[in-house]
Amino acid sequence: MALQDVCKWQAPDARGPCPHLPQAGVWAVPRGCDPQAFLQVHGPRLAHGTTTLAFRFRHGVIAAADTRSSCGSYVACPASRKVIPVHRHLLGTTSGTSADCATWYRVLRRELRLRELREGQLPSVASAAKLLSVMLSRYRGLDLCVATALCGWDRSGPALFYVYSDGTCLQGDVFSVGSGSPYAYGVLDHGYHYDMTIQEAYALARCAVAHATHRDAYSGGSVDLFHVRESGWEYVSRHDACVLYAELQLPAAEAGREARQVRPEPVTPHRAGEGGEPSAGPGKAAPEDSGMPADAGAL
């Protein structure tokens, strides 16, 4: 005999409304309106921003990013990781929707691992960037938000590519992505050159992200710094952005203080009857400055 016949038990109707949720009238969408279009127009608009950068130089590729994950005016996480390792010689910065970035990096990691098993070697950075751009381009127009800079080292040396969710794939030496990128570009354009030393590259990346977090409301937290070498990527450091910006301001403040302490030498005034030509007093022009001949008053 079945259990429902003994206990008079009936399975709940899974297709019906849940008793713990409001009635259907509360969630009703206006008649004749597409629910997806209605939510896009009348739904909450959650702004997000970040500051990520990467640049290629003689000793590898530097990747740096802030750690603040924001959702509008709400700081969702002050210590998130925005530089995601893909394999030993490849990592990428993430900008856009955090869930989209994390999901597509998991997909990219899986596809690269399968290709490595088939071919016996890891694909190049250009192949990885092209693969990611092709996969993302198939979802164009579906509100996918992924903007990343792929940083790696392959057989051709250090390589850097920018990939966007609409399928854009660009190769370059310097990329900055996010709402704080205009401020970061200002610092990078001033101090970047390909033949930098490693310490100069570290200082430039920290300085760019720290200044961007100071000016951009959606960036903040700490500054993560990664270095991709021939032997693989290395997690260099994490510094508090506010403390780092204050330390960067100290040399400028000391230089301004020294400039204020330098005073001009006093000028010795000339008295009547002493040697030398007397200087013109305040508000009076010298004869050679008046535009008139010196003996004009005698005419």
Side-chain angles (χ1 to χ4, degrees), residues 10 54 77 95 126 155 157 159 168 171 211 223 226 242 296:
Q10 293 183 354
C77 180
S95 177
R155 293 177 296 275
T168 302
Q171 183 179 8
H211 279 80
V223 179
F226 286 77
C242 294

Side-chain angles (χ1 to χ4, degrees), residues 104-283:
W104 281 102
Y105 264 104
R106 284 199 297 267
V107 174
L108 178 63
R109 189 182 297 116
R110 180 194 64 194
E111 294 296 328
L112 294 181
R113 176 60 177 164
L114 291 174
R115 182 172 294 187
E116 180 188 7
L117 293 175
R118 288 194 300 264
E119 300 177 359
Q121 61 181 0
L122 286 171
S124 63
V125 181
S127 299
K130 184 63 176 179
L131 175 62
L132 181 60
S133 67
V134 169
M135 291 190 298
L136 292 175
S137 64
R138 299 175 182 175
Y139 296 87
R140 185 183 303 171
L142 297 179
D143 293 335
L144 189 66
C145 187
V146 177
T148 178
L150 288 175
C151 318
W153 192 301
D154 53 19
R155 293 177 296 275
S156 61
L160 178 61
F161 286 84
Y162 167 76
V163 180
Y164 189 59
S165 51
D166 62 354
T168 302
C169 182
L170 301 174
Q171 183 179 8
D173 292 331
V174 180
F175 288 116
S176 181
V177 188
S179 58
S181 60
Y183 311 106
Y185 269 127
V187 179
L188 291 173
D189 291 342
H190 176 70
Y192 170 79
H193 57 93
Y194 185 79
D195 295 326
M196 287 187 296
T197 64
I198 295 178
Q199 295 303 322
E200 288 176 346
Y202 290 172
L204 178 62
R206 293 191 186 106
C207 181
V209 179
H211 279 80
T213 57
H214 181 72
R215 296 296 181 183
D216 181 41
Y218 299 108
S219 303
S222 302
V223 179
D224 280 341
L225 185 62
F226 286 77
H227 185 189
V228 183
R229 303 171 182 264
E230 186 176 4
S231 58
W233 60 266
E234 175 188 353
Y235 182 32
V236 179
S237 64
R238 168 175 284 192
H239 288 84
D240 186 90
C242 294
V243 176
L244 186 58
Y245 180 79
E247 293 177 353
L248 292 173
Q249 295 301 108
L250 288 178
E254 292 177 357
R257 191 179 304 111
E258 293 177 357
R260 287 193 298 269
Q261 290 176 355
V262 177
R263 299 179 180 274
E265 296 182 359
V267 178
T268 305
H270 292 272
R271 294 187 177 89
E274 294 183 354
E277 293 294 332
S279 60

